[in-house]
Amino acid sequence: MAGNKSSDKKKIPRTKMPEQDPKERIKNFDEVALGYREEDALKESLRCLQCKKPRCIEGCPVGIDIKSFIRLISERKFDEALEKIREKNSLPAICGRVCPQEDQCEKECILGIKDEPVAIGRLERFVADRKLDRDFGSEPNFESNSNSESSGLGKEGSGKGSSIDSLSRVAVIGSGPAGLTCAGELARMGYKVTIFEALHKPGGVLVYGIPEFRLPKRIVEKEIEFVKSLGVEIKVNMVVGKIFTIDDLLNSGYRSVFIATGAGLPYFMNIPGENLNGVYSANEYLTRSNLMKAYLFPEWDTPIKKGKRVAVIGGGNVAMDSARTAKRLGAEHVYLIYRRSEKEMPARIEEVGHAKEEGIEFVLLANPVEIIGKDGWVDKIRCIKMELGEPDESGRRRPIPVKGSEFDIDVDVVVVAIGQGPNPLLTSTVPDLKLKKSGNIEADLETCKTSKKGVFAGGDIVTGAATVILAMGAGKKAARAIDEYIRTGVW
Amino acid sequence: MYRIVKKEKLANDVVRFDVKAPLVSRRAKAGQFVIIRVSEKGERIPLTISDYNTSEGIISLVAMRVGKTTALLSTLNEGDEIIDLVGPLGKESEIGKFGTVVCVGGGVGIAPVMPIAKELKKKENYIISILGARDKDHLILVPEMEKISDELYLCSDDGSIGFHGFVSDFLKELLEEKVLEGREKSNFASSGTKNENINNINNGNINRVIAIGPAPMMYAVSKVTRPYGIKTIVSLNSIMVDGTGMCGTCRVEVGGKTRFVCVDGPEFDGHEVDFDLLLARQKAYHQEERLSMELYEEKCRCGQEKALW
Ligand SMILES: Cc1cc2nc3c(=O)[nH]c(=O)nc-3n(C[C@H](O)[C@H](O)[C@H](O)COP(=O)(O)OP(=O)(O)OC[C@H]3O[C@@H](n4cnc5c(N)ncnc54)[C@H](O)[C@@H]3O)c2cc1C
Ligand SMILES: Cc1cc2nc3c(=O)[nH]c(=O)nc-3n(C[C@H](O)[C@H](O)[C@H](O)COP(=O)(O)OP(=O)(O)OC[C@H]3O[C@@H](n4cnc5c(N)ncnc54)[C@H](O)[C@@H]3O)c2cc1C
Ligand code: SF4
Ligand code: SF4
Ligand code: FES
């Protein structure tokens, strides 16, 4: 197979992803992209040129040996392919699904220059799912999260020696991709790692934010099982900063702390009417639906307003997820209101495509100025038209309101998805931790070191809302730096 | 899991649970709350920490049965476990030496008032407590409050005990009395008891009012105290999900600004709170809550679930 001439390979078109029909899928929360079958994966793997200098690898923030794992697939060595991926990435079933591949690995793939790049993400997902599917047959145990606090902070104290064994305890705050990755890496090195998670379920945005139809929760649970199988302990229902402080952790035997608390602060627009009933932050809307399973109400207890006409404000992944959730909850019209044009939308191209297929109505170059209520409930949203001016710092053309162009849309639910910031709950309890003006933690991007000795930070709490794979990359770098710090004692 | 070590019925629909939660008990302060979940498919609901015992590692929760989650909770017994419990959440109460503080508790709101009154008492404030409920069977924690209070007055909506009327009406009379006639009012408060053995350190001024109970009650109390300019602290009970400032469900307007009750509160200046907004937002899911409860009660009748009590 490796002997095929590259010119032949280019002729094979990129293998399509089997998907649920849009007409059907808007009636359920099942996964949209069904995943490659074995023959799809083999066919796609053969497109790879096995480049001498594989550019794809440079595009992957965690440096997966893409070339090798694709070769292993083409040789039907699926388990080995998975092992190859797991050398660098402990959450492949998740990344294969949610990475913005078009901006990362696939962007660099040589085939992409003239043709379509190899579907690296889909192949990654295929090998990860293949293993998970087999495991699902053997009834995994998802209920083993330790949410009992009877063991307290853990055994008190530890020696002052300098080998990994005696100083092996590390605390990780937050169980999103950054925390899980860091914990997994450290566990592999022999450290005893405890993750403290504020919610009752681990996973961070992967469980409370990204919807089931894009990332099935059983996949996340399974990947978390894997991290636990490495020896990581996860304690849920622990809001660090409230139940104890970082200094408490450092004083009770943890040699180092990794802060990975994400971007858990919803931004609102500060326009009139934003506190009316029926107005949600995307965080609330998605948390109700995903974490609390409100889409299964009343079988599950947490309710959510099922609007008939829903406006979602924003143009990123979070906005797409909210809009598509609203559709599945039964909305007849879902308007996605975005102040720039489609070209500037930060959401993944694939998700914009999915949203359109599902009948989400894009209201572009428009910005809400007021939400108008009736009897305490949302009734209309008033928007103003925008036009694009000169490029701003981000390189995107700046939207400017068009005077006198206001128009109203009748809606009964509004979801504000204009971004999230750093939640100050924890950081405000650590006076000696230096923050940026934005409230994000100031940390070295290579070592994740903060201004406080022994404390590292990474993921969205440092970078601002970014991506799963970047958060994982940070977790990985932190693990390396934590190991070095603990072994050498040098800060 | 969080084990219930003691269950006590305080009123027909109000139960107190002592729950083993050592770490929470160590950090708990008056005014803070926890969020619990009682079933795998259940909601997250906030409950105030109404007492805490650090050495035994126990916190007390007092819950009134109003809907499905609190109904499910009330079926739990000693030895049972609450599956999720997170806290202590929210800011602690401001405990200073204010002078005379009137602590107003309405219904199940008496439970959250108690730890605050206790701490204020420790700081040598003169505590006047006004407790109210629908009727005498719904007045809870009276003996406990009596111990903490320098003066204690009871009110009931139906007149079955103490002052016949709302706590806010009684407070109004009390304020008028205090302001018009000064502190010496030996014949006043026929409906209350006064701790005779405590020296009268109240000079006739009321320095602060703490009011906790249903939102309409806190609204009414705030209206009563406003003309007197007495600082009035209320503890807001907005709907919550995470309790960590992540979702914004609990937002209210205070002094014209949007605040999150779970992290900025739960206590705010009652004179600055937009109560109409709070009241409207509390009703956001009335239809759904009713449906949940109906389905649950139906199941109970069919014997599929444990009886309510
Ligand atoms: C709706 C949505 C869709 C997205 N879609 C994509 C996508 O398609 N592709 C992509 O790459 N990225 C996507 N992202 C972004 C991506 O999910 C994040 O960049 C990533 O999850 C950040 O990881 P993290 O580990 O830094 O933080 P998070 O995933 O946010 O996890 C932080 C965790 O820390 C916990 N925590 C916070 N404070 C405390 C505390 N004081 N004590 C204990 N625990 C605490 C939180 O409860 C949470 O579980 C999306 C984000 C959202 C919200
Ligand atoms: C900070 C705080 C402290 C509280 N302390 C106590 C206490 O010590 N004792 C006590 O009995 N009650 C307390 N409450 C109120 C208690 O949380 C609600 O009674 C409970 O959530 C009702 O749930 P349910 O399913 O039984 O009833 P439902 O039928 O779901 O709701 C009944 C009413 O309770 C309110 N409510 C519903 N869901 C929530 C939610 N997730 N979060 C908050 N309120 C909700 C709504 O206004 C609703 O109309 C407190 C609330 C807050 C915000
Ligand atoms: S982890 Fe993401 S960027 Fe890296 S190879 Fe996989 S899909 Fe591409
Ligand atoms: S750049 Fe593309 S073709 Fe080359 S090795 Fe990577 S995936 Fe294969
Ligand atoms: S309950 Fe979510 S922000 Fe307060």
Side-chain angles (χ1 to χ4, degrees):
Chain A
M1 299 173 184
N4 276 2
K5 268 198 234 129
S6 58
S7 54
D8 296 341
K9 295 188 176 192
K10 280 186 205 157
K11 284 182 200 136
I12 314 173
R14 184 167 151 119
T15 315
K16 277 222 173 73
M17 180 62 125
E19 285 178 352
Q20 263 201 82
D21 186 307
K23 279 203 231 46
E24 280 311 308
R25 73 190 190 221
I26 57 169
K27 296 181 208 149
N28 66 53
F29 275 79
D30 298 341
E31 193 168 17
V32 168
L34 301 170
Y36 275 173
R37 292 154 298 188
E38 192 167 310
E39 63 264 33
D40 298 323
L42 285 171
K43 201 165 122 205
E44 185 63 19
S45 71
L46 290 176
R47 295 181 66 225
C48 171
L49 302 175
Q50 292 294 309
C51 304
K52 274 216 185 65
K53 275 199 184 154
R55 297 169 22 138
C56 50
I57 299 179
E58 283 160 41
C60 171
V62 293
I64 292 179
D65 185 349
I66 296 167
K67 172 180 160 181
S68 302
F69 99 72
I70 295 184
R71 194 197 66 240
L72 288 164
I73 292 179
S74 73
E75 294 166 359
R76 291 175 172 271
K77 294 181 180 155
F78 303 125
D79 289 337
E80 280 108 316
L82 182 59
E83 279 319 303
K84 190 45 81 194
I85 296 170
R86 282 206 163 146
E87 283 171 11
K88 292 290 163 82
N89 181 345
S90 47
L91 310 172
I94 294 168
C95 291
R97 286 176 166 79
V98 304
C99 259
Q101 290 101 6
E102 68 265 23
D103 292 327
Q104 297 176 346
C105 51
E106 294 178 14
K107 185 180 181 186
E108 301 299 328
C109 170
I110 193 89
L111 279 185
I113 296 175
K114 284 197 178 152
D115 193 2
E116 285 191 289
V118 175
I120 301 169
R122 294 171 184 178
L123 289 172
E124 182 173 346
R125 168 180 167 171
F126 167 75
V127 285
D129 280 7
R130 207 180 141 272
K131 173 86 167 59
L132 290 178
D133 284 343
R134 269 181 297 159
D135 293 355
F136 281 128
S138 62
E139 277 308 304
N141 172 19
F142 294 151
E143 305 305 332
S144 59
N145 298 323
S146 155
N147 68 351
S148 157
E149 53 154 69
S150 50
S151 51
L153 286 177
K155 278 172 227 92
E156 299 292 317
S158 67
K160 283 215 169 72
S162 63
S163 75
I164 286 186
D165 309 325
S166 61
L167 326 155
S168 51
R169 288 150 47 80
V170 177
V172 170
I173 307 173
S175 62
L180 287 172
T181 306
C182 179
E185 292 289 313
L186 286 166
R188 278 186 228 245
M189 295 178 200
Y191 290 92
K192 196 169 169 329
V193 187
T194 307
I195 300 182
F196 297 97
E197 166 56 47
L199 293 169
H200 59 270
K201 235 175 190 304
V205 167
L206 307 178
V207 292
Y208 81 71
I210 304 180
E212 179 76 17
F213 54 82
R214 210 148 69 72
L215 179 62
K217 297 312 148 215
R218 56 171 208 151
I219 303 280
V220 181
E221 281 160 354
K222 202 63 204 163
E223 300 267 36
I224 289 171
E225 283 300 307
F226 175 74
V227 173
K228 281 199 219 163
S229 74
L230 299 170
V232 172
E233 184 188 17
I234 303 181
K235 283 176 175 272
V236 295
N237 294 322
M238 298 272 171
V239 183
V240 182
K242 285 291 181 183
I243 194 155
F244 41 72
T245 62
I246 286 184
D247 282 328
D248 290 338
L249 288 170
L250 291 171
N251 293 334
S252 64
Y254 289 97
R255 285 300 311 268
S256 179
V257 176
F258 179 55
I259 306 176
T261 49
L265 179 76
Y267 286 150
F268 286 94
M269 292 173 293
N270 297 318
I271 58 173
E274 230 172 353
N275 293 331
L276 286 164
N277 278 338
V279 183
Y280 289 95
S281 75
N283 278 3
E284 178 184 356
Y285 198 66
L286 293 172
T287 301
R288 281 183 183 273
S289 179
N290 299 320
L291 178 71
M292 306 310 296
K293 302 269 180 287
Y295 67 88
L296 298 174
F297 179 87
E299 193 197 332
W300 288 62
D301 292 341
T302 304
I304 194 166
K305 272 296 157 204
K306 299 185 176 177
K308 285 269 165 274
R309 305 166 68 92
V310 179
V312 175
I313 301 153
N317 285 320
V318 185
M320 296 301 152
D321 285 345
S322 304
R324 298 172 68 198
T325 295
K327 195 82 190 177
R328 283 164 175 75
L329 287 172
E332 284 154 20
H333 292 278
V334 180
Y335 305 101
L336 190 113
I337 303 175
Y338 181 56
R339 62 200 179 115
R340 306 184 202 236
S341 70
E342 191 178 323
K343 217 172 59 214
E344 284 85 16
M345 277 190 176
R348 293 181 59 200
I349 293 168
E350 190 182 343
E351 303 311 337
V352 175
H354 281 147
K356 282 188 172 166
E357 284 168 16
E358 290 168 12
I360 307 298
E361 298 159 54
F362 286 28
V363 183
L364 301 168
L365 289 165
N367 205 28
V369 290
E370 185 179 356
I371 301 169
I372 298 160
K374 204 164 95 189
D375 307 324
W377 282 88
V378 172
D379 187 42
K380 290 179 192 336
I381 184 162
R382 178 161 299 164
C383 303
I384 188 162
K385 290 195 176 139
M386 309 291 273
E387 55 189 15
L388 292 180
E390 296 299 304
D392 62 12
E393 318 83 61
S394 71
R396 295 180 302 177
R397 290 173 65 194
R398 189 194 304 273
I400 304 163
V402 180
K403 264 214 182 100
S405 66
E406 284 90 349
F407 62 99
D408 292 353
I409 310 176
D410 289 339
V411 288
D412 48 12
V413 165
V414 172
V415 182
V416 183
I418 57 165
Q420 303 91 238
N423 188 319
L425 188 80
L426 171 67
T427 50
S428 64
T429 65
V430 197
D432 44 347
L433 189 68
K434 229 172 157 179
L435 303 182
K436 298 178 213 168
K437 254 204 242 111
S438 57
N440 292 96
I441 297 175
E442 211 171 284
D444 186 293
L445 288 181
E446 281 314 306
T447 63
C448 299
K449 275 184 186 166
T450 67
S451 60
K452 187 174 166 69
K453 191 173 177 209
V455 178
F456 298 75
D460 282 3
I461 185 64
V462 171
T463 56
T467 61
V468 171
I469 193 69
L470 285 173
M472 291 179 58
K476 210 173 205 129
K477 286 177 190 165
R480 241 177 281 139
I482 289 171
D483 172 51
E484 191 178 307
Y485 165 67
I486 293 183
R487 277 189 296 107
T488 63
V490 179
W491 184 248
Chain B
M1 300 283 214
Y2 301 80
R3 184 173 296 273
I4 295 168
V5 294
K6 193 169 156 210
K7 177 184 186 179
E8 190 184 344
K9 196 163 153 176
L10 299 183
N12 207 5
D13 48 3
V14 182
V15 203
R16 173 163 62 194
F17 293 102
D18 289 351
V19 184
K20 192 97 184 160
L23 284 179
V24 181
S25 78
R26 223 181 47 178
R27 275 301 163 101
K29 290 269 169 18
Q32 292 188 299
F33 62 94
V34 295
I35 285 187
I36 63 164
R37 233 162 52 98
V38 289
S39 68
E40 210 31 70
K41 297 180 178 176
E43 232 182 319
R44 294 169 64 98
I45 65 154
L47 293 174
T48 307
I49 302 170
S50 85
D51 206 354
Y52 44 91
N53 182 328
T54 308
S55 57
E56 287 179 40
I58 282 170
I59 60 169
S60 301
L61 306 174
V62 176
M64 177 152 87
R65 209 191 109 205
V66 293
K68 177 166 178 189
T69 311
T70 43
L72 270 178
L73 175 66
S74 64
T75 64
L76 297 183
N77 288 310
E78 279 171 28
D80 288 345
E81 287 181 327
I82 293 174
I83 59 172
D84 293 302
L85 184 152
V86 56
L89 300 172
K91 292 210 161 87
E92 56 187 275
S93 305
E94 187 191 349
I95 307 292
K97 189 163 170 12
F98 303 116
T100 297
V101 182
V102 178
C103 295
V104 190
V108 73
I110 298 170
V113 158
M114 190 171 73
I116 304 172
K118 215 186 222 171
E119 292 306 312
L120 286 170
K121 185 68 208 160
K122 281 190 201 155
K123 287 261 174 181
E124 295 174 356
N125 290 287
Y126 186 89
I127 307 291
I128 301 175
S129 296
I130 303 173
L131 312 181
R134 243 175 294 167
D135 53 43
K136 76 172 192 305
D137 295 333
H138 282 90
L139 262 181
I140 58 169
L141 302 170
V142 175
E144 287 88 342
M145 285 301 291
E146 193 154 22
K147 260 186 256 163
I148 306 165
S149 312
D150 297 291
E151 294 174 36
L152 176 86
Y153 305 101
L154 305 179
C155 311
S156 57
D157 301 356
D158 69 348
S160 54
I161 190 170
F163 175 83
H164 186 167
F166 296 133
V167 285
S168 49
D169 299 332
F170 182 82
L171 177 68
K172 191 162 193 231
E173 289 190 13
L174 183 82
L175 292 182
E176 276 165 11
E177 184 95 3
K178 297 250 177 206
V179 170
L180 294 178
E181 297 171 22
R183 177 66 191 92
E184 296 317 319
K185 42 155 201 54
S186 47
N187 296 331
F188 184 72
S190 52
S191 52
T193 57
K194 188 172 164 192
N195 258 346
E196 298 297 342
N197 51 354
I198 293 173
N199 274 336
N200 184 359
I201 54 167
N202 184 348
N203 60 6
N205 286 327
I206 286 174
N207 305 91
R208 188 173 274 238
V209 172
I210 315 251
I212 309 184
M217 172 224 131
M218 295 190 281
Y219 198 177
V221 167
S222 301
K223 276 183 188 154
V224 166
T225 56
R226 187 192 297 273
Y228 298 94
I230 302 173
K231 178 108 170 168
T232 300
I233 303 294
V234 293
S235 178
L236 303 185
N237 44 0
S238 54
I239 296 178
M240 294 188 178
V241 179
D242 66 303
T244 66
M246 181 269 277
C247 71
T249 306
C250 61
R251 61 198 194 277
V252 290
E253 280 175 28
V254 183
K257 284 208 193 85
T258 296
R259 310 293 299 272
F260 290 1
V261 172
C262 69
V263 285
D264 301 325
E267 289 173 18
F268 293 99
D269 184 334
H271 295 151
E272 302 218 314
V273 170
D274 182 340
F275 278 102
D276 293 319
L277 181 71
L278 175 70
L279 285 162
R281 287 185 65 82
Q282 282 182 341
K283 293 195 196 101
Y285 298 101
H286 264 187
Q287 266 174 319
E288 289 83 357
E289 285 155 2
R290 207 170 308 136
L291 176 66
S292 257
M293 197 56 190
E294 275 165 18
L295 291 172
Y296 175 67
E297 280 173 339
E298 206 165 287
K299 258 191 180 174
C300 292
R301 270 197 297 279
C302 302
Q304 288 171 1
E305 302 260 335
K306 279 186 267 181
L308 287 187
W309 285 94

